[in-house]
Amino acid sequence: MKKIILADDDFLVRSYLSQLVDWEANGYMLAGVAQDGEQALELAEKLKPDIVIADIDMPVMNGIALLQKLKEKRNPARVVMLSCHDDFEYVKEAMRIGADEYLLKDAVTPEKLLQTLKEIAPAESDAAAEDTKELTEEQERKQLLQLLEGTVLSCESIAPDAVIAVRLTEYEETMAYQPVEQRELFYHSFRQTCEGAGRNLEEVRCVHVRGGLFAVLCQFHAGMSRQSQQLALRETASSLVQEADRHFAIAVKVGVSDAAEYSTDTSVCWSGAKDALEHAFYQPGSIFYAWQCGKMGNMLPRAAEEFLKEAEELAAHRDSAEIKTMLAAALESFSQEQTRESLVAGWLHSADRKLGVETRPMPKRFSDLREIVQVYPTVCEEMLPDVGQYSKGVADTIRFIQEHYRENISLTDAANAVHLTTTYLSFVFHKETDITFSEYLQSCRINHAKELLERTNERVREIGALVGYNDNRHFSRIFKKTTGMTPQEYRKEWRK
């Protein structure tokens, strides 16, 4: 019979874990209980346990120090660390030192505890199984992914009736660039949390699909009505969102499949869950149910296609008014048809390329897309709205400035280009536009500089040269006088 020592400074936790399972019936003996690491170390030297279950954060001597002492004394006991969700750095250190496993306190169930004990210290008859534990875990993950893909129809560990798709909304910012070891610790803890959220379900399995996407496979209790099934799924989804925020301080979006007519086809449930999740692009909220959401649009709307067809020609004619009109129609069609995010992303890439805008990443929300595409009209928008309202000489001068503002041009250059005297052009330009030639030239340059600061990572000096200012100090001074901020301050403020 395997001997176990339990160490935790919280009396309620010690009592709960002491009574969580029938130790003897499962081949274990709870040989001792300690309230800190120092007591646990004394018991370990005296009782020679096979397993030590210790809280990672205890007074006098914490779990990390206890683990180090056990290793120094060459104590062969297997060590399981108990942790809270905010103990990641401690957990990482414990696993580095040599802890065999760790459990999240909030997610410990009798089944989870016994399974963990069996894996780290199997009975003698199970010795061969220990050698294949990692392979078995990987096989289960492979089976679950195959269930989702539809390449297999059953799995030994669960018979799913519904699937919940969970996406970390800030995955790229929080986890994508973390060390592999830390990501794996997070995935392990997050899966435990997801599985613990399904308290009203018969069985739950969570699998990391890719990036920030997880699948939670749910099996209902026998005989549950459709209404009861949906209620259980609602409670599980709500718990997932709350637990992710409370324990990991991360936001998630959740798509929940319906199970009323899917029988054993898990891939159909998975498709339904992902479809429901896609509505998060258009709608506020964190949870989206397949039985409430409509179908996603699988084709690019006609208005969006028309915009792409006409974009280059409209830009060449500097027709900002028509661009605004067609752009509004394209965006409205996306919203009405709930077009798939991947199709909208392809449309954005094509539109950027056709209008000469540096390619931008796809935003996470449709409202943000509405904001970033407003750059399209400004690409060809004229500083003075409708040149048709001015005399030919002034209209030609406006076009001359817009085409040559990057160069070292002057009023004389413009006068020569439009075949007017310098004095007359200065007079008539100011009379018709209410601003001087120099003021319009400066505004044109600063407006384009603002666009470059917003859309590119070019250095300020290079941007100044691109809009006609070869003297960087002069450019910065004029920019601040016009906008109230230096170029660096403007870029920082705009990207907040």
Side-chain angles (χ1 to χ4, degrees):
M1 189 170 287
K2 302 286 185 184
K3 289 191 293 184
I4 294 177
I5 286 177
L6 172 63
D8 196 297
D9 62 306
D10 189 323
F11 171 78
L12 293 177
V13 174
R14 291 200 306 273
S15 299
Y16 172 73
L17 292 177
S18 297
Q19 303 171 47
L20 187 60
V21 298
D22 186 340
W23 297 104
E24 292 187 3
N26 287 281
Y28 302 98
M29 177 179 68
L30 188 58
V33 177
Q35 63 183 13
D36 59 56
E38 198 166 79
Q39 287 185 6
L41 185 61
E42 293 176 0
L43 288 175
E45 293 176 346
K46 178 181 178 181
L47 301 175
K48 307 298 183 187
D50 300 288
I51 302 170
V52 175
I53 303 175
D55 185 13
I56 206 165
D57 187 15
M58 296 183 290
V60 185
M61 179 187 292
N62 65 23
I64 299 290
L66 170 62
L67 178 61
Q68 289 175 321
K69 291 292 185 182
L70 291 173
K71 294 298 181 183
E72 289 171 5
K73 295 178 179 293
R74 299 185 181 279
N75 191 307
R78 298 297 182 92
V79 179
V80 177
M81 287 295 181
L82 296 172
S83 77
C84 296
H85 289 272
D86 54 358
D87 288 335
F88 273 124
E89 289 304 315
Y90 284 132
V91 170
K92 182 178 178 181
E93 179 65 10
M95 300 302 285
R96 187 188 67 80
I97 293 172
D100 296 281
E101 187 54 276
Y102 76 97
L103 290 169
L104 299 174
K105 290 184 180 181
D106 290 351
V108 175
T109 63
E111 296 78 10
K112 181 77 70 175
L113 178 58
L114 289 173
Q115 180 63 29
T116 299
L117 295 177
K118 183 178 180 180
E119 289 175 348
I120 66 167
E124 285 70 19
S125 60
D126 293 335
E130 173 71 4
D131 295 332
T132 61
K133 176 175 73 72
E134 291 186 3
L135 177 61
T136 301
E137 290 175 352
E138 182 58 31
Q139 283 178 335
E140 182 185 47
R141 179 176 185 272
K142 183 177 180 181
Q143 280 188 351
L144 293 177
L145 291 176
Q146 288 175 332
L147 268 179
L148 298 175
E149 294 165 359
T151 55
V152 299
L153 295 178
S154 63
C155 176
E156 297 175 9
S157 60
I158 188 172
D161 297 304
V163 181
I164 299 175
V166 183
R167 185 174 67 204
L168 279 60
T169 57
E170 304 296 333
Y171 177 79
E172 293 297 332
E173 294 82 352
T174 57
M175 292 304 303
Y177 301 106
Q178 294 292 334
V180 173
E181 184 182 43
Q182 189 163 339
R183 285 206 308 273
E184 289 301 323
L185 287 174
F186 169 78
Y187 295 156
H188 183 81
S189 298
F190 191 74
R191 290 198 305 270
Q192 283 189 322
T193 296
C194 290
E195 291 175 357
R199 298 178 184 88
N200 296 325
L201 299 169
E202 173 72 22
E203 195 70 54
V204 183
R205 287 289 186 277
C206 179
V207 61
H208 176 226
V209 180
R210 62 180 177 277
L213 183 63
F214 292 77
V216 181
L217 295 87
C218 307
Q219 182 177 338
F220 299 128
H221 293 289
M224 289 181 73
S225 65
R226 183 168 187 262
Q227 184 177 5
S228 297
Q229 291 173 353
Q230 290 183 348
L231 178 60
L233 290 173
R234 286 180 184 274
E235 291 173 343
T236 301
S238 178
S239 179
L240 274 170
V241 173
Q242 293 173 10
E243 296 297 297
D245 179 58
R246 183 161 70 95
H247 296 303
F248 300 99
I250 57 174
V252 298
K253 300 290 184 181
V254 176
V256 185
S257 79
D258 198 347
E261 55 187 5
Y262 292 154
S263 62
T264 58
D265 195 343
T266 306
S267 65
V268 178
C269 291
W270 178 231
S271 179
K274 289 189 294 181
D275 272 2
L277 183 58
E278 284 218 30
H279 284 80
F281 180 59
Y282 293 96
Q283 302 171 19
S286 300
I287 306 174
F288 304 87
Y289 300 100
W291 58 85
Q292 293 179 343
C293 298
K295 295 291 186 181
M296 297 299 295
N298 289 315
M299 297 180 62
L300 201 62
R302 181 183 297 275
E305 290 184 341
E306 289 298 322
F307 181 84
L308 293 181
K309 289 179 182 178
E310 302 293 333
E312 288 179 293
E313 185 174 350
L314 292 173
H317 288 85
R318 308 182 73 81
D319 194 342
S320 61
E322 185 62 18
I323 281 185
K324 288 180 180 179
T325 299
M326 296 190 70
L327 179 60
L331 294 178
E332 183 61 25
S333 68
F334 285 141
S335 181
Q336 288 183 349
E337 298 184 25
Q338 299 281 286
T339 307
R340 289 192 181 279
E341 188 177 340
S342 57
L343 292 175
V344 180
W347 175 88
L348 175 64
H349 178 79
S350 296
D352 281 350
R353 179 171 51 80
K354 288 176 177 292
L355 286 158
V357 174
E358 183 176 344
T359 301
R360 280 88 46 87
M362 181 66 176
K364 294 183 175 66
R365 296 173 300 180
F366 184 67
S367 57
D368 292 336
L369 177 70
R370 287 186 182 276
E371 292 178 11
I372 70 170
V373 296
Q374 293 310 313
V375 70
Y376 295 156
T378 66
V379 168
C380 65
E381 193 163 34
E382 299 162 342
M383 183 66 187
L384 299 172
D386 181 10
V387 293
Q389 66 182 295
Y390 304 113
S391 65
K392 184 178 183 304
V394 172
D396 287 347
T397 301
I398 291 172
R399 295 190 182 93
F400 175 82
I401 293 173
Q402 290 172 342
E403 292 175 6
H404 299 280
Y405 71 90
R406 298 177 181 84
E407 305 165 19
N408 184 26
I409 59 174
S410 65
L411 177 62
T412 301
D413 296 323
N416 291 335
V418 300
H419 310 293
L420 296 173
T421 66
T422 302
T423 303
Y424 179 73
L425 178 58
S426 177
F427 168 77
V428 73
F429 192 93
H430 185 272
K431 180 180 179 181
E432 293 186 21
T433 67
D434 206 32
I435 60 174
T436 67
F437 173 91
S438 297
E439 287 172 339
Y440 177 61
L441 174 60
Q442 178 177 295
S443 296
C444 200
R445 286 171 168 170
I446 295 302
N447 272 8
H448 283 82
K450 286 160 68 175
E451 291 178 20
L452 291 171
L453 288 167
E454 294 167 5
R455 296 189 288 105
T456 75
N457 292 316
E458 296 285 352
R459 296 166 55 189
V460 170
R461 181 186 300 276
E462 294 167 346
I463 288 175
L466 287 172
V467 298
Y469 293 104
N470 293 320
D471 185 330
N472 186 52
R473 288 187 179 180
H474 180 59
F475 167 57
S476 297
R477 185 167 61 252
I478 294 297
F479 191 94
K480 184 170 185 179
K481 181 180 178 181
T482 304
T483 66
M485 293 181 282
T486 65
Q488 293 90 339
E489 290 170 342
Y490 179 87
R491 174 177 272 167
K492 184 177 181 181
E493 184 69 20
W494 190 86
R495 294 185 176 181
K496 276 186 178 179

